[in-house]
Amino acid sequence: MPRKPRKGDVAADEAVYGAIRRAMHMGRLAPGTKLQEPALARVLGVSRERVRKALHRLVHEGWLTAIPNRGTFVPSLTVEEMRQIYDVRSMLEAAIVRRLSEGHTAAAAKRLKAHVTEEKAATRRDDRGRLFELSGEFHVLLAELCGNDELTRLLRGLLTRSTMHFSLAAPRQLTNCAGPHDHGDIADAILGGKADKAAKLMLGHLAGLVTLQAAHPPQHEPVDIEEAFRGIKARRDS
Amino acid sequence: MPRKPRKGDVAADEAVYGAIRRAMHMGRLAPGTKLQEPALARVLGVSRERVRKALHRLVHEGWLTAIPNRGTFVPSLTVEEMRQIYDVRSMLEAAIVRRLSEGHTAAAAKRLKAHVTEEKAATRRDDRGRLFELSGEFHVLLAELCGNDELTRLLRGLLTRSTMHFSLAAPRQLTNCAGPHDHGDIADAILGGKADKAAKLMLGHLAGLVTLQAAHPPQHEPVDIEEAFRGIKARRDS
DNA sequence: ATGCCAAGAAATGTGCACATCCTGTTGGAG
DNA sequence: CTCCAACAGGATGTGCACATTTCTTGGCAT
């Protein structure tokens, strides 16, 4: 239904952005899918310019790829691109866990322990959806605990691009981190001050993710825009 | 795929983007300056929407900051933000030089030597402008030699934000890297396979840059848009 | 004289319509 | 039957005009 032309509604932009992002995260949009503006505008019930702006933002953030005068498409990550992303993550996250191992506040230790506890709880009750979220947040949490906003933002971008493969190609297998004990072991090494061990575990953890993704090639299923956004609409949460 | 003779429409966006970026790089725009769209459109001789799109891109890349319904402004980097950027650079670049020290191709060694030679030549003939460019490219070159496009792109973004301070606050002192021998020493350590030494030199190098920047606080000079873009206009090269 | 309020002006944000380009189709020729 | 070219339909890109918000200036009351 048409929303009345409210005043400066900055939340509408975020809503459209979030809707597309959520559709990708749910695996509704297969790699190679063309996101045409009129269809999205009609389905989401917003103007075309709104969709246009959100698309441009997603392109700039690396979620979508645009071809001039052709349209914007859901990218199909090659194995090499994925390997490179994980390579950068390895550099950053190894340094992160090393730093945290060498020194961290009591509050940081508390947050880390709480996160691991929550992950274990989610694993025990087999809550795949929650575990999927928590697994990603674990890596962001480590960056946050370094107290460097720039680092956190950068790593979050890399992580979203990393998990894009799971979201797009293997949405059913909602396990984006290999071993269920990996995060716990890394946390233990950090809390125990074993920098070398923590770094080694992290490198092994990330390497495991690469092999896991390589084992699941992306499936190209043609999807319809209207069908993909069934029940997604625009919401406020991230 | 052969490029078709288009109507220079795509290049116009890049031209406006480059013009603003060049004005910042020349130190014409002081931190806190408001970039209003009509004035820019008039000065650059393009439509307001073109300016608008370029501004949005610059905001998203971190060069400018936007306040809804207020406008876009040239940011004034705090010392803390700068320190965080250099912190992330330290993590990445230490890993980079370590990797290069542990193994690199003959072609990589050749490019590295050639770069250092060119830097020394620029230093000898006191070509500050060229040295400024080369000093920045050195760090990008190291990333390129790792053969990871994602890494290169990421580091390039960090580097542009790092040098922004020099561009905005201290444009006259065109020395963005502390010691003239630092790059040469780092290159020697890499070529000699001394990973620990190379990493240590790089960390010291970056730390020196932070103290150098902290010693030059940003100057707030009120500038006029028309005056700032005198003789800049839109060009095609980057 | 100073602080507050209101009206005008300018800048930002948004929807709309048109121009341009791409794509799929259809018709005809070889 | 196949291939190529022109055409129609549709999607993207862009300029323009208007709505909304904010800043400024002038006037008024304390």
Side-chain angles (χ1 to χ4, degrees), chain B residues 39-116:
Chain B
L40 278 174
R42 188 178 58 247
V43 171
L44 295 176
V46 296
S47 70
R48 193 167 71 94
E49 278 70 52
R50 205 60 67 92
V51 174
R52 203 172 166 68
K53 188 155 52 166
L55 253 49
H56 279 145
R57 180 178 168 190
L58 288 163
V59 165
H60 206 87
E61 290 177 358
W63 286 89
L64 302 174
T65 55
I67 305 176
N69 295 323
R70 294 280 298 271
T72 65
F73 302 84
V74 179
S76 44
L77 286 175
T78 67
V79 178
E80 176 59 20
E81 289 172 322
M82 212 177 57
R83 197 193 59 76
Q84 290 188 354
I85 292 176
Y86 274 100
D87 196 20
V88 177
R89 279 189 61 183
S90 298
M91 291 183 180
L92 278 180
E93 302 204 40
I96 288 172
V97 295
R98 271 212 157 80
R99 177 164 306 181
L100 289 177
S101 299
E102 291 165 357
H104 54 265
T105 64
K110 188 176 179 182
R111 287 186 63 185
L112 190 56
K113 288 177 184 174
H115 186 97
V116 172

